[in-house]
Amino acid sequence: QQGIGRPGIYHAVVVIFLEFFAWGLLTTPMLVVLHETFSHHTFLMNGLIQGVKGFLSFLSAPVIGALSDAWGRKSFLLLTVFFTCAPIPLMRISPWWYFAMISVSGIFSVTFSVIFAYVADVTQEHERITAYGLVSATFAASLVTSPAIGAYLSASYGDNLVVLVATLVAVVDICFIVLAVPESLPEKMRPTSWGASISWERADPFASLKKVRKDTTVLPICITVFLSYLPEAGQYSSFFLYLRQIIGFGSASIAAFIAVVGILSIIAQTVFLSILMRSIGNKNTVLLGLGFQILQLAWYGFGSQSWMMWAAGAIAAMSSVTFPAISALVSRNAESDQQGVVQGIITGIRGLCNGLGPALYGFIFFLFHVELNELPPDQTSGKKTMQDPSDE
């Protein structure tokens, strides 16, 4: 098999880090492009874009998971990362095509399902919760520095350089998969009989949901993922605009907020997750994470001062233990040759929430006439306040 060394967790960690590092760089430029492209009904259009992307992810995740169970993980890692990162260079070329590609890229924006299946291939069951925590912590780590770097480059050199750097990071990620990532399922590769080893009924997202409905173990987990991730995805889609417009955060403050919450999330998912799993068990860890999430979302909603946002962010870091604990719970209840399918179902539900959440929040903002009429001048970027109203 092509690749460097034996398949391991660290191959998955590098892939996830580079993919989300590239997108994290675009945090600040994306706010500007979103507002410039959709100056009216900004929140509603953002919700619709994310809604289409999420629904397509929901449909495709079980299919890609089932295919990876039979044909191996590497080719689908390459496919998902390539198409997830494909819209990045279009941000400066054509914003309309950029947002259109983001919507369509939802078909392949399911890297986590393939990554978690890859990790399940190379770990024993008792090692899996630590491995999932490490992958989730890496996702948080990729967002610790990238928004700050993106904000600095944007303020100093312009958005074009930020998009160029993000594109190069995505290219490095693709090259890493091609050259360095070994296949974790070599014995299951059947290139001469592609299709024969696939249960298309199992890959069908709606058939998967029917089976989930009859499974007394997986059904509550899927409901838990849906109910916890729907508000999480909704608030995340508009939270940085909210911090900027209502609370008065600048680009540097937003980048620092993401960095602090990210660092705390890394600690929560590596140190506290293992301790909690050993001391109170898998299910109670999920319940504790959900409790922190309830407190975090309520605090965001009722908070009116910047220090309240920082305090709620610290609680949000503790709530990040929920998803790796849920992934371990699902993995424990699946056979070794069905890891891609079950992780695909969970990732698909997350994808659906990634669409429904922003769409729901965008519609609520639309109903209550909350509009991003103007983006306040960023006092922390070092730029002078622009006097031309059209520039502002």
Side-chain angles (χ1 to χ4, degrees):
Q1 296 294 326
Q2 293 180 339
I4 298 175
R6 297 180 62 184
I9 300 171
Y10 298 103
H11 292 101
V13 162
V14 172
V15 171
I16 283 293
F17 180 85
L18 291 175
E19 177 181 334
F20 289 97
F21 186 89
W23 277 106
L25 289 170
L26 303 178
T27 302
T28 299
M30 193 182 298
L31 299 180
V32 178
V33 172
L34 183 66
H35 178 52
E36 289 176 350
T37 309
F38 306 108
S39 55
H40 301 291
H41 309 312
T42 306
F43 289 111
L44 182 64
M45 291 305 299
N46 182 47
L48 291 174
I49 292 165
Q50 298 298 330
V52 172
K53 178 182 178 182
F55 185 70
L56 291 176
S57 297
F58 164 70
L59 294 178
S60 65
V63 179
I64 291 177
L67 292 173
S68 73
D69 280 338
W71 299 346
R73 317 294 185 198
K74 179 172 179 172
S75 56
F76 289 97
L77 276 179
L78 182 61
L79 191 70
T80 55
V81 170
F82 177 83
F83 282 100
T84 300
C85 296
I88 290 176
L90 294 174
M91 178 181 279
R92 301 312 298 174
I93 298 172
S94 171
W96 282 95
W97 276 107
Y98 166 72
F99 288 113
M101 275 295 292
I102 284 181
S103 299
V104 176
S105 71
I107 299 174
F108 299 102
S109 297
V110 291
T111 310
F112 264 107
S113 65
V114 185
I115 284 290
F116 278 173
Y118 190 100
V119 170
D121 294 339
V122 299
T123 55
Q124 301 296 321
E125 185 175 312
H126 67 277
E127 303 172 323
R128 218 159 277 167
I129 182 63
T130 304
Y132 287 156
L134 183 61
V135 171
S136 296
T138 302
F139 164 67
S142 67
L143 299 178
V144 167
T145 53
S146 54
I149 294 172
Y152 172 76
L153 293 176
S154 176
S156 302
Y157 304 103
D159 290 346
N160 287 341
L161 180 65
V162 182
V163 175
L164 177 61
V165 173
T167 303
L168 292 176
V169 171
V171 170
V172 170
D173 196 12
I174 292 168
C175 293
F176 178 80
I177 295 171
V178 172
L179 301 175
V181 175
E183 176 55 59
S184 62
L185 278 179
E187 74 281 359
K188 294 184 181 295
M189 298 289 281
R190 303 187 186 96
T192 57
S193 59
W194 281 17
S197 57
I198 300 297
S199 170
W200 294 106
E201 181 185 357
R202 191 174 66 177
D204 175 16
F206 298 104
S208 298
L209 288 180
K210 291 175 184 176
K211 287 189 175 184
V212 164
R213 191 177 61 195
K214 299 175 184 177
D215 192 319
T216 56
T217 304
V218 179
L219 176 60
I221 296 175
C222 291
I223 294 173
T224 301
V225 171
F226 181 81
L227 293 178
S228 67
Y229 210 72
L230 182 67
E232 189 77 17
Q235 67 91 12
Y236 191 80
S237 69
S238 54
F239 186 59
F240 301 120
L241 286 172
Y242 177 80
L243 287 180
R244 182 79 180 268
Q245 179 164 321
I246 307 300
I247 306 298
F249 277 38
S251 295
S253 299
I254 291 175
F257 181 89
I258 295 172
V260 170
V261 174
I263 291 170
L264 294 176
S265 297
I266 294 169
I267 296 171
Q269 294 171 22
T270 51
V271 179
F272 289 112
L273 180 61
S274 298
I275 295 172
L276 289 171
M277 289 292 290
R278 287 196 301 267
S279 58
I280 64 175
N282 203 321
K283 178 181 176 180
N284 289 329
T285 301
V286 174
L287 287 171
L288 186 64
L290 292 174
F292 279 115
Q293 185 189 14
I294 291 170
L295 183 57
Q296 161 222 335
L297 292 173
W299 206 330
Y300 279 158
F302 291 109
S304 57
Q305 304 295 323
S306 60
W307 70 266
M308 297 180 180
M309 299 297 107
W310 287 98
I315 296 171
M318 281 304 299
S319 73
S320 66
V321 302
T322 307
F323 190 70
I326 286 176
S327 297
L329 205 57
V330 171
S331 178
R332 188 177 297 170
N333 288 280
E335 300 296 330
S336 59
D337 62 343
Q338 293 185 335
Q339 292 293 329
V341 173
V342 294
Q343 297 296 346
I345 292 173
I346 297 298
T347 303
I349 291 174
R350 283 190 76 181
L352 183 64
C353 292
N354 277 329
L356 290 178
L360 178 63
Y361 273 53
F363 184 64
I364 291 171
F365 286 137
F366 175 71
L367 285 180
F368 287 90
H369 307 290
V370 178
E371 283 300 330
L372 189 65
N373 293 322
E374 63 178 37
L375 209 60
D378 187 354
Q379 303 296 339
T380 61
S381 65
K383 293 181 178 179
K384 293 181 180 179
T385 303
M386 290 176 284
Q387 299 300 321
D388 188 346
S390 63
D391 288 345
E392 183 176 343

PDB file of all heavy atoms in Angstrom, residues 108-127:
ATOM      1  N   PHE A 108     -19.905  16.053  -0.462  1.00  0.00           N
ATOM      2  CA  PHE A 108     -18.654  15.411  -0.059  1.00  0.00           C
ATOM      3  C   PHE A 108     -18.101  15.948   1.260  1.00  0.00           C
ATOM      4  O   PHE A 108     -17.018  15.546   1.678  1.00  0.00           O
ATOM      5  CB  PHE A 108     -17.596  15.587  -1.153  1.00  0.00           C
ATOM      6  CG  PHE A 108     -17.979  14.974  -2.465  1.00  0.00           C
ATOM      7  CD1 PHE A 108     -18.451  15.763  -3.504  1.00  0.00           C
ATOM      8  CD2 PHE A 108     -17.894  13.604  -2.655  1.00  0.00           C
ATOM      9  CE1 PHE A 108     -18.808  15.194  -4.715  1.00  0.00           C
ATOM     10  CE2 PHE A 108     -18.261  13.028  -3.861  1.00  0.00           C
ATOM     11  CZ  PHE A 108     -18.720  13.825  -4.895  1.00  0.00           C
ATOM     12  N   SER A 109     -18.828  16.871   1.913  1.00  0.00           N
ATOM     13  CA  SER A 109     -18.304  17.471   3.152  1.00  0.00           C
ATOM     14  C   SER A 109     -18.563  16.569   4.355  1.00  0.00           C
ATOM     15  O   SER A 109     -19.213  16.968   5.325  1.00  0.00           O
ATOM     16  CB  SER A 109     -18.942  18.849   3.374  1.00  0.00           C
ATOM     17  OG  SER A 109     -18.589  19.732   2.341  1.00  0.00           O
ATOM     18  N   VAL A 110     -18.075  15.352   4.261  1.00  0.00           N
ATOM     19  CA  VAL A 110     -18.321  14.356   5.319  1.00  0.00           C
ATOM     20  C   VAL A 110     -17.004  13.696   5.728  1.00  0.00           C
ATOM     21  O   VAL A 110     -16.952  12.495   5.993  1.00  0.00           O
ATOM     22  CB  VAL A 110     -19.350  13.303   4.848  1.00  0.00           C
ATOM     23  CG1 VAL A 110     -20.726  13.921   4.717  1.00  0.00           C
ATOM     24  CG2 VAL A 110     -18.930  12.655   3.534  1.00  0.00           C
ATOM     25  N   THR A 111     -15.942  14.503   5.790  1.00  0.00           N
ATOM     26  CA  THR A 111     -14.624  13.969   6.115  1.00  0.00           C
ATOM     27  C   THR A 111     -14.613  13.245   7.456  1.00  0.00           C
ATOM     28  O   THR A 111     -13.945  12.222   7.620  1.00  0.00           O
ATOM     29  CB  THR A 111     -13.581  15.101   6.122  1.00  0.00           C
ATOM     30  OG1 THR A 111     -13.694  15.856   4.924  1.00  0.00           O
ATOM     31  CG2 THR A 111     -12.176  14.547   6.240  1.00  0.00           C
ATOM     32  N   PHE A 112     -15.377  13.763   8.427  1.00  0.00           N
ATOM     33  CA  PHE A 112     -15.356  13.179   9.767  1.00  0.00           C
ATOM     34  C   PHE A 112     -15.811  11.723   9.769  1.00  0.00           C
ATOM     35  O   PHE A 112     -15.294  10.904  10.536  1.00  0.00           O
ATOM     36  CB  PHE A 112     -16.222  14.003  10.725  1.00  0.00           C
ATOM     37  CG  PHE A 112     -15.443  15.012  11.518  1.00  0.00           C
ATOM     38  CD1 PHE A 112     -15.543  16.361  11.231  1.00  0.00           C
ATOM     39  CD2 PHE A 112     -14.600  14.620  12.539  1.00  0.00           C
ATOM     40  CE1 PHE A 112     -14.824  17.297  11.956  1.00  0.00           C
ATOM     41  CE2 PHE A 112     -13.863  15.547  13.269  1.00  0.00           C
ATOM     42  CZ  PHE A 112     -13.982  16.887  12.977  1.00  0.00           C
ATOM     43  N   SER A 113     -16.798  11.367   8.937  1.00  0.00           N
ATOM     44  CA  SER A 113     -17.284   9.981   8.936  1.00  0.00           C
ATOM     45  C   SER A 113     -16.191   9.029   8.468  1.00  0.00           C
ATOM     46  O   SER A 113     -16.015   7.938   9.016  1.00  0.00           O
ATOM     47  CB  SER A 113     -18.526   9.840   8.050  1.00  0.00           C
ATOM     48  OG  SER A 113     -18.229  10.094   6.701  1.00  0.00           O
ATOM     49  N   VAL A 114     -15.419   9.448   7.443  1.00  0.00           N
ATOM     50  CA  VAL A 114     -14.334   8.608   6.931  1.00  0.00           C
ATOM     51  C   VAL A 114     -13.171   8.584   7.926  1.00  0.00           C
ATOM     52  O   VAL A 114     -12.556   7.540   8.158  1.00  0.00           O
ATOM     53  CB  VAL A 114     -13.861   9.100   5.545  1.00  0.00           C
ATOM     54  CG1 VAL A 114     -12.823   8.146   4.959  1.00  0.00           C
ATOM     55  CG2 VAL A 114     -15.036   9.230   4.587  1.00  0.00           C
ATOM     56  N   ILE A 115     -12.882   9.738   8.537  1.00  0.00           N
ATOM     57  CA  ILE A 115     -11.789   9.830   9.514  1.00  0.00           C
ATOM     58  C   ILE A 115     -12.067   8.948  10.726  1.00  0.00           C
ATOM     59  O   ILE A 115     -11.201   8.188  11.187  1.00  0.00           O
ATOM     60  CB  ILE A 115     -11.568  11.288   9.954  1.00  0.00           C
ATOM     61  CG1 ILE A 115     -10.828  12.077   8.871  1.00  0.00           C
ATOM     62  CG2 ILE A 115     -10.801  11.363  11.269  1.00  0.00           C
ATOM     63  CD1 ILE A 115      -9.368  11.689   8.684  1.00  0.00           C
ATOM     64  N   PHE A 116     -13.285   9.019  11.267  1.00  0.00           N
ATOM     65  CA  PHE A 116     -13.614   8.206  12.444  1.00  0.00           C
ATOM     66  C   PHE A 116     -13.611   6.718  12.103  1.00  0.00           C
ATOM     67  O   PHE A 116     -13.246   5.886  12.939  1.00  0.00           O
ATOM     68  CB  PHE A 116     -14.970   8.630  13.014  1.00  0.00           C
ATOM     69  CG  PHE A 116     -14.889   9.844  13.910  1.00  0.00           C
ATOM     70  CD1 PHE A 116     -16.038  10.454  14.398  1.00  0.00           C
ATOM     71  CD2 PHE A 116     -13.672  10.390  14.261  1.00  0.00           C
ATOM     72  CE1 PHE A 116     -15.970  11.561  15.224  1.00  0.00           C
ATOM     73  CE2 PHE A 116     -13.583  11.502  15.085  1.00  0.00           C
ATOM     74  CZ  PHE A 116     -14.742  12.093  15.564  1.00  0.00           C
ATOM     75  N   ALA A 117     -14.024   6.365  10.881  1.00  0.00           N
ATOM     76  CA  ALA A 117     -13.946   4.968  10.459  1.00  0.00           C
ATOM     77  C   ALA A 117     -12.484   4.536  10.313  1.00  0.00           C
ATOM     78  O   ALA A 117     -12.112   3.410  10.677  1.00  0.00           O
ATOM     79  CB  ALA A 117     -14.685   4.786   9.133  1.00  0.00           C
ATOM     80  N   TYR A 118     -11.637   5.429   9.795  1.00  0.00           N
ATOM     81  CA  TYR A 118     -10.196   5.167   9.673  1.00  0.00           C
ATOM     82  C   TYR A 118      -9.594   4.898  11.053  1.00  0.00           C
ATOM     83  O   TYR A 118      -8.832   3.942  11.248  1.00  0.00           O
ATOM     84  CB  TYR A 118      -9.519   6.368   9.012  1.00  0.00           C
ATOM     85  CG  TYR A 118      -8.071   6.160   8.612  1.00  0.00           C
ATOM     86  CD1 TYR A 118      -7.738   5.880   7.294  1.00  0.00           C
ATOM     87  CD2 TYR A 118      -7.030   6.258   9.541  1.00  0.00           C
ATOM     88  CE1 TYR A 118      -6.412   5.703   6.910  1.00  0.00           C
ATOM     89  CE2 TYR A 118      -5.711   6.080   9.172  1.00  0.00           C
ATOM     90  CZ  TYR A 118      -5.407   5.804   7.855  1.00  0.00           C
ATOM     91  OH  TYR A 118      -4.099   5.616   7.476  1.00  0.00           O
ATOM     92  N   VAL A 119      -9.959   5.754  12.025  1.00  0.00           N
ATOM     93  CA  VAL A 119      -9.455   5.588  13.389  1.00  0.00           C
ATOM     94  C   VAL A 119      -9.929   4.266  13.985  1.00  0.00           C
ATOM     95  O   VAL A 119      -9.165   3.564  14.667  1.00  0.00           O
ATOM     96  CB  VAL A 119      -9.903   6.778  14.268  1.00  0.00           C
ATOM     97  CG1 VAL A 119      -9.616   6.513  15.735  1.00  0.00           C
ATOM     98  CG2 VAL A 119      -9.218   8.062  13.820  1.00  0.00           C
ATOM     99  N   ALA A 120     -11.192   3.898  13.715  1.00  0.00           N
ATOM    100  CA  ALA A 120     -11.721   2.627  14.220  1.00  0.00           C
ATOM    101  C   ALA A 120     -10.955   1.437  13.643  1.00  0.00           C
ATOM    102  O   ALA A 120     -10.787   0.407  14.313  1.00  0.00           O
ATOM    103  CB  ALA A 120     -13.206   2.508  13.891  1.00  0.00           C
ATOM    104  N   ASP A 121     -10.464   1.578  12.396  1.00  0.00           N
ATOM    105  CA  ASP A 121      -9.700   0.497  11.763  1.00  0.00           C
ATOM    106  C   ASP A 121      -8.362   0.247  12.461  1.00  0.00           C
ATOM    107  O   ASP A 121      -7.879  -0.881  12.512  1.00  0.00           O
ATOM    108  CB  ASP A 121      -9.416   0.832  10.282  1.00  0.00           C
ATOM    109  CG  ASP A 121     -10.675   0.869   9.443  1.00  0.00           C
ATOM    110  OD1 ASP A 121     -11.682   0.271   9.869  1.00  0.00           O
ATOM    111  OD2 ASP A 121     -10.654   1.509   8.374  1.00  0.00           O
ATOM    112  N   VAL A 122      -7.756   1.323  12.971  1.00  0.00           N
ATOM    113  CA  VAL A 122      -6.369   1.211  13.447  1.00  0.00           C
ATOM    114  C   VAL A 122      -6.264   1.204  14.973  1.00  0.00           C
ATOM    115  O   VAL A 122      -5.153   1.264  15.513  1.00  0.00           O
ATOM    116  CB  VAL A 122      -5.509   2.371  12.878  1.00  0.00           C
ATOM    117  CG1 VAL A 122      -5.488   2.313  11.355  1.00  0.00           C
ATOM    118  CG2 VAL A 122      -6.005   3.730  13.354  1.00  0.00           C
ATOM    119  N   THR A 123      -7.405   1.127  15.663  1.00  0.00           N
ATOM    120  CA  THR A 123      -7.371   1.114  17.130  1.00  0.00           C
ATOM    121  C   THR A 123      -8.192  -0.046  17.681  1.00  0.00           C
ATOM    122  O   THR A 123      -9.104  -0.547  17.013  1.00  0.00           O
ATOM    123  CB  THR A 123      -7.943   2.428  17.715  1.00  0.00           C
ATOM    124  OG1 THR A 123      -9.267   2.635  17.198  1.00  0.00           O
ATOM    125  CG2 THR A 123      -7.074   3.616  17.369  1.00  0.00           C
ATOM    126  N   GLN A 124      -7.853  -0.462  18.887  1.00  0.00           N
ATOM    127  CA  GLN A 124      -8.682  -1.415  19.620  1.00  0.00           C
ATOM    128  C   GLN A 124      -9.844  -0.658  20.266  1.00  0.00           C
ATOM    129  O   GLN A 124      -9.790   0.553  20.429  1.00  0.00           O
ATOM    130  CB  GLN A 124      -7.848  -2.119  20.700  1.00  0.00           C
ATOM    131  CG  GLN A 124      -6.649  -2.864  20.154  1.00  0.00           C
ATOM    132  CD  GLN A 124      -7.044  -4.012  19.233  1.00  0.00           C
ATOM    133  OE1 GLN A 124      -8.014  -4.723  19.494  1.00  0.00           O
ATOM    134  NE2 GLN A 124      -6.286  -4.192  18.158  1.00  0.00           N
ATOM    135  N   GLU A 125     -10.865  -1.397  20.676  1.00  0.00           N
ATOM    136  CA  GLU A 125     -12.069  -0.746  21.209  1.00  0.00           C
ATOM    137  C   GLU A 125     -11.763   0.102  22.439  1.00  0.00           C
ATOM    138  O   GLU A 125     -12.276   1.212  22.595  1.00  0.00           O
ATOM    139  CB  GLU A 125     -13.134  -1.801  21.544  1.00  0.00           C
ATOM    140  CG  GLU A 125     -14.456  -1.191  21.978  1.00  0.00           C
ATOM    141  CD  GLU A 125     -15.528  -2.234  22.195  1.00  0.00           C
ATOM    142  OE1 GLU A 125     -15.705  -3.105  21.319  1.00  0.00           O
ATOM    143  OE2 GLU A 125     -16.178  -2.186  23.247  1.00  0.00           O
ATOM    144  N   HIS A 126     -10.870  -0.397  23.329  1.00  0.00           N
ATOM    145  CA  HIS A 126     -10.580   0.346  24.555  1.00  0.00           C
ATOM    146  C   HIS A 126      -9.748   1.602  24.289  1.00  0.00           C
ATOM    147  O   HIS A 126      -9.654   2.490  25.139  1.00  0.00           O
ATOM    148  CB  HIS A 126      -9.861  -0.552  25.573  1.00  0.00           C
ATOM    149  CG  HIS A 126      -8.482  -0.967  25.139  1.00  0.00           C
ATOM    150  ND1 HIS A 126      -8.265  -2.032  24.287  1.00  0.00           N
ATOM    151  CD2 HIS A 126      -7.255  -0.447  25.424  1.00  0.00           C
ATOM    152  CE1 HIS A 126      -6.966  -2.167  24.074  1.00  0.00           C
ATOM    153  NE2 HIS A 126      -6.331  -1.209  24.750  1.00  0.00           N
ATOM    154  N   GLU A 127      -9.125   1.676  23.094  1.00  0.00           N
ATOM    155  CA  GLU A 127      -8.325   2.854  22.740  1.00  0.00           C
ATOM    156  C   GLU A 127      -9.137   3.912  21.996  1.00  0.00           C
ATOM    157  O   GLU A 127      -8.681   5.033  21.802  1.00  0.00           O
ATOM    158  CB  GLU A 127      -7.152   2.445  21.836  1.00  0.00           C
ATOM    159  CG  GLU A 127      -6.230   1.395  22.410  1.00  0.00           C
ATOM    160  CD  GLU A 127      -5.229   0.903  21.388  1.00  0.00           C
ATOM    161  OE1 GLU A 127      -5.583   0.777  20.189  1.00  0.00           O
ATOM    162  OE2 GLU A 127      -4.078   0.634  21.794  1.00  0.00           O
TER     163      GLU A 127
END
